């Protein structure tokens, strides 16, 4: 009857749960002037995340491409009630054609991929980017170090805990629960949409535990927060640690992530720069032994007690020396992650190019 106007397939990672590609349904109450033979808009955004400049959909520039493709197709369809086929991206289909035995509304089924032709160019672009990333990863590969003195020093280091540092004022500690309580005063139904136009509220993305584990940009939210200083938002130099799942991870917030809200299952450590180097803090918090002694295994999910995490008492100059090394390790880890994603795309691109005829076996 025309109530369902569009089915839009979003790429995996667009919204939580991040491993599942979801469909967005656009519904509208049919009016008296509804067409006798309505059409349904089908959009598949997989192609917008597979080109030479593509990447993780949580990256802002990739998500912007998804938005542009979807909104451009929707606006053209909404204006006329029909849309000529855009190969691999969108088309409108008469509803009568969809009412078969299965009534499968998956866009990909009605939208075959675009004809081959630029497969070779795409594969070349991805391969070149992968080569650059592998060169970067090679350059960032940790060099051999003299381990004996460091091991001896480590045995003599006086130890402290995150809890002790928090009580001494060397850092402040907050969890996702306390952060949400802080924001609950500013996200009531009357203000969550920031509809009063006063500019006293803003909508910000949320850094999730998945983002911390994968090194991605904040992918949760957005949520409404007050701009009066009562909302707990991430700042450059903060250290964020997942507290559920048993993963040994810690992320130092950079300028690109600053301003996001803290997601569930995360703890926020805000070191005093006069007392603690953030990279030194994050590096020692990632120790496997450290995480094991501070974790609880009594339930089905491993839970980390951040206050029990340990690190050595070292002068700030010595912290900076370790911090610089931990920062270089984080850059190396990011390069490896990017190389892995590019490698997956290159392999799939080769399979697709060989099977659709745009690439030759030689």
């Amino acid at each position: 009857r025309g109530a369902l106007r569009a089915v839009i397939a979003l790429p995996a990672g667009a919204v939580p749960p991040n491993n599942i590609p979801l469909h967005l349904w656009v519904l509208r109450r049919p009016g008296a002037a509804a067409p006798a033979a309505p059409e349904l808009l089908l959009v598949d955004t997989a192609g917008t995340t597979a080109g030479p400049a593509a990447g993780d959909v949580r990256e802002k520039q990739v998500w912007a491409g998804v938005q542009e493709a979807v909104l451009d197709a929707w606006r053209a369809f909404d204006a006329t009630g029909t849309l000529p086929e855009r190969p691999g991206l969108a088309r409108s289909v008469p509803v009568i054609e969809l009412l078969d035995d299965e009534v499968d509304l998956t866009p990909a089924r009605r939208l075959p991929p675009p004809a081959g032709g630029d497969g070779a160019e795409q594969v070349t672009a991805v391969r070149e980017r992968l080569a650059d990333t592998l060169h970067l990863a090679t350059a960032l590969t940790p060099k051999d170090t003299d381990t004996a003195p460091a091991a001896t020093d480590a045995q003599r280091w006086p130890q402290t805990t995150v809890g002790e540092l928090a009580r001494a004022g060397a850092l402040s500690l907050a969890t996702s629960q306390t952060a949400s309580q802080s924001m609950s005063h500013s996200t009531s139904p009357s203000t969550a949409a920031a509809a009063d136009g006063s500019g006293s509220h803003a909508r910000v993305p949320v850094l999730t535990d998945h983002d911390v584990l994968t090194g991605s940009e904040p992918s949760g939210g957005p949520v409404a927060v007050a701009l009066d200083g009562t909302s707990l938002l991430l700042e450059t130099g903060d250290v964020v640690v997942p507290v559920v799942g048993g993963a040994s991870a810690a992320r130092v917030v950079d300028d690109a992530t600053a301003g996001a809200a803290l997601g569930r299952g995360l703890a926020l450590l805000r070191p005093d720069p006069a007392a603690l180097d953030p990279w030194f803090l994050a590096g020692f918090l990632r120790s496997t032994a450290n995480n094991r002694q501070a974790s609880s295994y009594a339930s089905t999910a491993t839970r980390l007690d951040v206050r029990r995490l340990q690190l050595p008492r070292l002068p700030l100059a010595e912290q900076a020396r370790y911090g610089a090394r931990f920062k270089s390790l984080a850059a190396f880890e990011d390069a490896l992650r990017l190389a892995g994603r590019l490698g997956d795309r290159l392999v799939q691109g080769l399979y697709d190019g060989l099977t659709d005829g745009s690439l030759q076996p030689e």
Side-chain angles (χ1 to χ4, degrees), residues 177-329:
Q177 181 178 3
T178 58
S180 62
Q181 290 172 350
S182 172
M183 282 186 278
S184 66
H185 302 292
S186 63
T187 56
S188 61
S190 62
T191 61
D196 58 3
S198 64
S200 60
H201 291 77
R203 299 189 70 81
V204 300
V206 177
L207 184 72
T208 68
D209 54 352
H210 181 272
D211 300 330
V212 174
L213 294 172
T214 61
S216 306
E217 291 187 1
S219 63
V223 296
V225 298
L227 298 179
D228 57 4
T230 61
S231 299
L232 179 61
L233 300 179
L234 300 178
E235 297 180 1
T236 301
D238 287 347
V239 177
V240 181
V241 181
V243 297
V244 179
S248 175
R251 174 169 174 174
V252 178
V253 175
D254 57 13
D255 292 339
T257 307
L262 186 71
R264 294 185 178 182
L266 295 174
L268 168 64
L269 288 73
R270 181 164 293 166
D272 178 355
L276 279 175
D277 180 279
W279 286 102
F280 164 82
L281 174 63
F284 275 92
L285 295 188
R286 286 195 59 171
S287 160
T288 301
N290 204 2
N291 276 260
R292 284 178 177 172
Q293 65 84 26
S295 296
S296 171
Y297 304 92
S299 63
T300 55
T302 303
R303 187 166 189 88
L304 179 70
D305 184 351
V306 179
R307 292 181 176 274
R308 291 170 52 194
L309 289 169
Q310 299 178 346
L311 64 156
R313 295 180 181 272
L314 294 178
L316 195 57
E318 187 70 0
Q319 292 182 32
R321 192 166 71 92
Y322 276 90
R325 187 60 182 271
F326 288 136
K327 186 176 182 178
S328 69
L329 283 176

Side-chain angles (χ1 to χ4, degrees), residues 21 31 35 46 49 71 73 80 88 97 102 152 184 209 217 252 266 268 329 332 354:
T49 60
L71 293 177
T80 63
E97 293 185 13
E102 297 181 358
T152 302
S184 66
D209 54 352
E217 291 187 1
V252 178
L266 295 174
L268 168 64
L329 283 176
F332 176 61
L354 288 168

